[in-house]
Amino acid sequence: MRSQKIAIVTDSSANIPIELMQDLDIHVIPVWLIWDGKNYRDGIDLKADEFYARLKRSKTLPTTSQPSTSEFEVFFSKLGEKYDAIVAPLVSSKMSGTVECAQAAVNQLTDLSIHIIDSCAGSMAHGLTVLAAARAAAAGSVIDEVVSAAKRMRERVNLFFVVDTLEFLHRSGRISGAKRYMATALQIRPILQFTEGMISPLSQARTRGKAITHMLDLVEERLAQRPMAEACVVNIDCREDGESLVEQVRERFKPQRISLAGVSPVVGTVVGPGGLGVAFYPGA
């Protein structure tokens, strides 16, 4: 009996390092950025380095928009010509309409086997869920096992991150003006996390260095004496800081796998430059 050929699909907000996407044959549909009246496909029409250079000097902020239902229909239909089934873990439905548009496309493509999964997260917390599905598919798992692998990872993964300012999260509608004002007035560096599909406060510190140190203490606390199976350090236009954090995580937690990921323009629009975080999950 021929094994199923399963395509793994995600959106560009997952921020999975390019080498992992290529090795695991992950297909990415770009999210849209709208900036000064022009539309850009995330990571295609506007690369990360170009985006952050422009963001630093721009007086305006871009907005973001999920791929449309019709875009998903075309994307899925082309994959359906080569694959027996599609599994698509996508960015949190509480932060984007991406899941809704993808599911609407699935409802039109009744002849294809397509499974949409709400990752309930963003950036590499989302990305690690995608990787779990891709690794299961690469190992020859059947469709139900691939879907289950993604859902199990969704329950295990964590993402903690430090931001230089809450201004971008406020302007994108992810936090209230009161929270942004208080953090700025008190010169606080917030430590944030994903909780139930949304960004929420975890802790805080008075300097960036102290915030990063405290974030690692919180990682250890969340692990609760369990080993760290995998980690991905995410950096928003601060690669040297990201490389330093990779070494700290490797030395302190000794994960079986560790990688460094940049952050695409669509996520950078929400969080702003200078952000630094760790996505991770414990061993079984």
Side-chain angles (χ1 to χ4, degrees):
M1 179 179 177
R2 183 177 68 91
S3 62
Q4 288 180 299
K5 192 175 181 183
I6 301 170
I8 305 300
V9 169
T10 194
D11 59 90
S12 60
S13 66
N15 303 149
I16 300 168
I18 185 67
E19 62 274 13
L20 291 177
M21 287 198 295
Q22 291 173 344
D23 288 347
L24 292 165
D25 193 28
I26 297 168
H27 304 267
V28 179
I29 185 167
V31 179
W32 288 96
L33 290 100
I34 302 93
W35 205 350
D36 294 335
K38 293 185 178 180
N39 295 337
Y40 302 90
R41 291 170 297 171
D42 183 33
I44 298 175
D45 303 320
L46 193 59
K47 300 294 186 181
D49 54 353
E50 178 187 356
F51 168 78
Y52 289 112
R54 178 175 169 182
L55 186 66
K56 291 172 184 176
R57 64 176 186 268
S58 178
K59 295 181 180 179
T60 62
L61 268 183
T63 57
T64 63
S65 180
Q66 68 271 7
S68 67
T69 297
S70 60
E71 286 177 279
F72 271 112
E73 286 185 33
V74 171
F75 198 84
F76 289 152
S77 294
K78 288 182 178 178
L79 287 174
E81 296 172 2
K82 299 179 180 180
Y83 293 87
D84 302 310
I86 298 168
V87 177
L90 302 171
V91 65
S92 171
S93 61
K94 293 185 178 179
M95 297 186 65
S96 169
T98 303
V99 166
E100 182 179 0
C101 287
Q103 190 59 58
V106 171
N107 295 341
Q108 297 299 317
L109 301 171
T110 55
D111 57 331
L112 296 180
S113 174
I114 307 173
H115 301 258
I116 306 300
I117 299 169
D118 185 347
S119 73
C120 299
S123 188
M124 273 305 293
H126 167 197
L128 287 171
T129 298
V130 177
L131 289 175
R135 287 165 179 155
S141 299
V142 297
I143 187 68
D144 288 348
E145 294 170 337
V146 173
V147 170
S148 293
K151 290 182 176 179
R152 286 195 303 271
M153 182 58 67
R154 180 177 63 185
E155 303 305 314
R156 296 171 65 194
V157 72
N158 299 270
L159 172 59
F160 299 164
F161 58 104
V162 174
V163 295
D164 277 350
T165 173
L166 290 177
E167 181 65 25
F168 291 88
L169 285 161
H170 167 57
R171 291 172 69 177
S172 65
R174 267 67 176 191
I175 63 162
S176 70
K179 288 180 181 176
R180 189 270 304 170
Y181 173 78
M182 288 299 294
T184 302
L186 297 174
Q187 297 183 317
I188 288 170
R189 297 300 177 99
I191 303 169
L192 307 171
Q193 66 176 334
F194 273 95
T195 305
E196 297 180 350
M198 296 288 288
I199 295 170
S200 65
L202 179 62
S203 191
Q204 61 191 38
R206 281 299 183 97
T207 68
R208 179 177 172 84
K210 288 180 179 178
I212 292 169
T213 298
H214 185 39
M215 178 175 68
L216 293 178
D217 291 340
L218 293 168
V219 169
E220 184 170 350
E221 183 179 304
R222 183 64 57 88
L223 286 170
Q225 299 185 331
R226 295 169 295 178
M228 179 183 281
E230 183 171 8
C232 183
V233 170
V234 292
N235 77 96
I236 307 181
D237 196 37
C238 55
R239 184 176 178 86
E240 288 186 4
D241 288 348
E243 290 172 345
S244 174
L245 186 55
V246 165
E247 292 309 311
Q248 292 179 65
V249 171
R250 180 182 283 122
E251 182 177 347
R252 182 166 178 175
F253 301 109
K254 298 175 176 56
Q256 297 169 27
R257 297 187 180 111
I258 188 166
S259 55
L260 175 66
V263 170
S264 69
V266 70
V267 176
T269 295
V270 173
V271 181
L276 197 62
V278 183
F280 65 97
Y281 60 93

